[in-house]
Amino acid sequence: MSYSMPELIRTKRDGGELTADELRWMIAEYTADRIPDYQLSAFLMAVMFRGMSGNELAAWTDAMLHSGDVLDLSATDMPKVDKHSTGGVGDKISIPLAPLVVACGVAVPMMSGRGLGHTGGTLDKLETIPGFRTRLDPDEFARQLDAIGLVLGGQSETLVPADRRIYALRDASGTVPSIPLISSSIMSKKLAEDLDGLVLDVKIGSGAFMKDIASGTELARTMVGIGASHDTPVVGLLTDMDQPLGREVGNANEMVESIATLRGEGPADVTELTMRLGEEMLILAGVATDATDARVRLEAAVSSGAGLDVFARVIEAQGGDPRVLDDRSLLPVAANRHVVVADRAGFVERCDALSVGRAAVRLGAGRQAKEDDIDPAVGITVHAKVGDTVESGTPLATVRYNTDDQLASCLGVLETAWDLTDEPQEPQPLILGEVR
Ligand code: URA
């Protein structure tokens, strides 16, 4: 069956609903280069303004998901659950979380992304480990999942090719911030992992895609709905991204903090979010009866070192040097340090995630365009967060940098990240809501 693209664009423009066949045709034709970019961009812009119905979203996501290979991970006996974060600053949670969950008897076929803009990416952080490979072919991916229960890899070229093409087009056509387009993009990739369940960490605040609880809740509800239409249970936690997560921002810095968290020595917010997301994963997988049971299991995986052992096996299997777990000097470190200090005494009212994330990009820790290189060794350690008390001269952050130009550029934004006040401030809550 063939359709007229101008007619489908007009239908969506005027608020009509497209059929599943029309949407499947559009994805298949676009992926096969038979629909030009200008027509698909016009359609995506119409979706930005008109949205998609539940039926449209289910069909669109399903068509994206089947635009390439879908993993067959049926050789793994364990239940398979993954976590996806919508992205933020200092968000290294996947690295401690996945090994702990695996140590509790759940398989995690995790496919992560790279940092883009002010948000960091798990692949860049993993690649700070000398030798660590994040490109695995589908056979190796399935074998490692079966053997260890955990793979920490990137998305293969053959998985959901429609999303790669459409995401690039959205980036160039001002159509990224659309809840149906974001939801279908994320969910098509996650559903291609052949999962039994998915936990979403929907970030809310200055450093996140979603700036307020209402839009974060809508995004989470939309993704939970797509999961239901594919018989995959999805749970979403809404979590704070007004300030950076943890103390470390930048790739090697975040690897150090991730390893500390696996050892039970991480900062309170990173540890708490790891535990909360882990609880949901264990419950979805059916290996824990409730949150209390799940927490006991996860804490045991920290204190026994079982989570760290899983991570060591994955590092070895993916070509990395597991001695980084005990020897921080094997990770890259930038040559120079600069300390940013408070210019007055007071209470921290704001420690802005977006400013810290942008400052890290200017240092070289992140990339503005997909093809940019990053510097794994540079980063920012945040010493003062909302609710903390500082004196004049108290360190707010330590910057590790490689060139003076990058430091100057970074400080131009970093120094605007903090607001200090005379009024005592409550620490910000970390978990803002949940959607099931
Ligand atoms: N992450 C994705 O994978 N897709 C989007 O559209 C936005 C964030």
Side-chain angles (χ1 to χ4, degrees), residues 267-284:
D269 58 349
V270 174
T271 302
E272 178 57 18
L273 189 52
T274 302
M275 291 291 153
R276 279 293 287 115
L277 292 165
E279 288 167 11
E280 298 294 346
M281 290 173 81
L282 296 198
I283 295 169
L284 272 185

Side-chain angles (χ1 to χ4, degrees), residues 148-420:
I148 306 178
L150 176 59
V151 187
L152 296 171
Q155 201 198 332
S156 86
E157 297 293 311
T158 56
L159 217 74
V160 198
D163 179 63
R164 210 182 334 273
R165 302 270 316 268
I166 293 174
Y167 193 87
L169 192 60
R170 286 167 57 206
D171 210 19
S173 62
T175 52
V176 169
S178 145
I179 286 183
L181 296 179
I182 295 174
S183 309
S184 53
S185 164
I186 293 172
M187 289 301 291
S188 60
K189 288 174 287 199
K190 289 291 152 188
L191 293 169
E193 289 177 9
D194 191 13
L195 297 175
D196 299 305
L198 174 65
V199 177
L200 298 169
D201 181 4
V202 178
K203 298 284 184 207
I204 303 199
S206 82
F209 259 124
M210 297 295 140
K211 304 294 179 200
D212 55 62
I213 294 191
S215 54
T217 305
E218 193 187 338
L219 179 66
R221 283 209 182 111
T222 307
M223 291 196 278
V224 169
I226 295 175
S229 67
H230 283 80
D231 292 328
T232 306
V234 177
V235 172
L237 296 188
L238 310 180
T239 72
D240 177 60
M241 190 32 72
D242 261 340
Q243 62 178 346
L245 194 50
R247 303 251 165 220
E248 302 293 348
V249 177
N251 298 289
N253 286 40
E254 292 190 45
M255 181 51 74
V256 171
E257 194 167 67
S258 302
I259 295 168
T261 305
L262 264 175
R263 292 189 179 288
E265 296 158 5
D269 58 349
V270 174
T271 302
E272 178 57 18
L273 189 52
T274 302
M275 291 291 153
R276 279 293 287 115
L277 292 165
E279 288 167 11
E280 298 294 346
M281 290 173 81
L282 296 198
I283 295 169
L284 272 185
V287 306
T289 48
D290 57 25
T292 311
D293 178 27
R295 177 77 63 132
V296 169
R297 289 169 194 263
L298 290 160
E299 284 175 351
V302 174
S303 56
S304 67
L308 209 58
D309 285 348
V310 170
F311 193 32
R313 290 180 68 201
V314 169
I315 294 174
E316 200 151 16
Q318 294 185 217
D321 184 347
R323 290 177 306 159
V324 293
L325 297 176
D326 299 308
D327 184 355
R328 195 242 178 274
S329 71
L330 295 172
L331 292 169
V333 191
N336 310 303
R337 274 171 193 251
H338 174 90
V339 180
V340 176
V341 298
D343 58 4
R344 53 162 286 187
F347 302 94
V348 179
E349 184 179 31
R350 173 177 155 276
C351 167
D352 182 46
L354 183 60
S355 307
V356 176
R358 285 188 174 152
V361 172
R362 289 182 179 204
L363 267 188
R367 49 174 78 73
Q368 296 289 4
K370 280 203 174 77
E371 52 288 348
D372 289 353
D373 286 331
I374 56 150
D375 181 345
V378 296
I380 299 167
T381 304
V382 175
H383 302 298
K385 294 185 62 173
V386 174
D388 289 350
T389 310
V390 295
E391 301 301 327
S392 177
T394 298
L396 298 176
T398 301
V399 181
R400 286 177 189 266
Y401 67 100
N402 273 328
T403 74
D404 290 342
D405 282 353
Q406 284 171 324
L407 175 67
S409 171
C410 159
L411 292 180
V413 204
L414 187 62
E415 286 172 348
T416 66
W418 285 267
D419 281 344
L420 304 177

Side-chain angles (χ1 to χ4, degrees), residues 1-2 24-35 165:
M1 187 70 183
S2 174
R24 276 195 213 104
W25 171 85
M26 195 183 297
I27 296 274
E29 292 296 292
Y30 181 68
T31 312
D33 278 330
R34 288 192 291 265
I35 291 177
R165 302 270 316 268

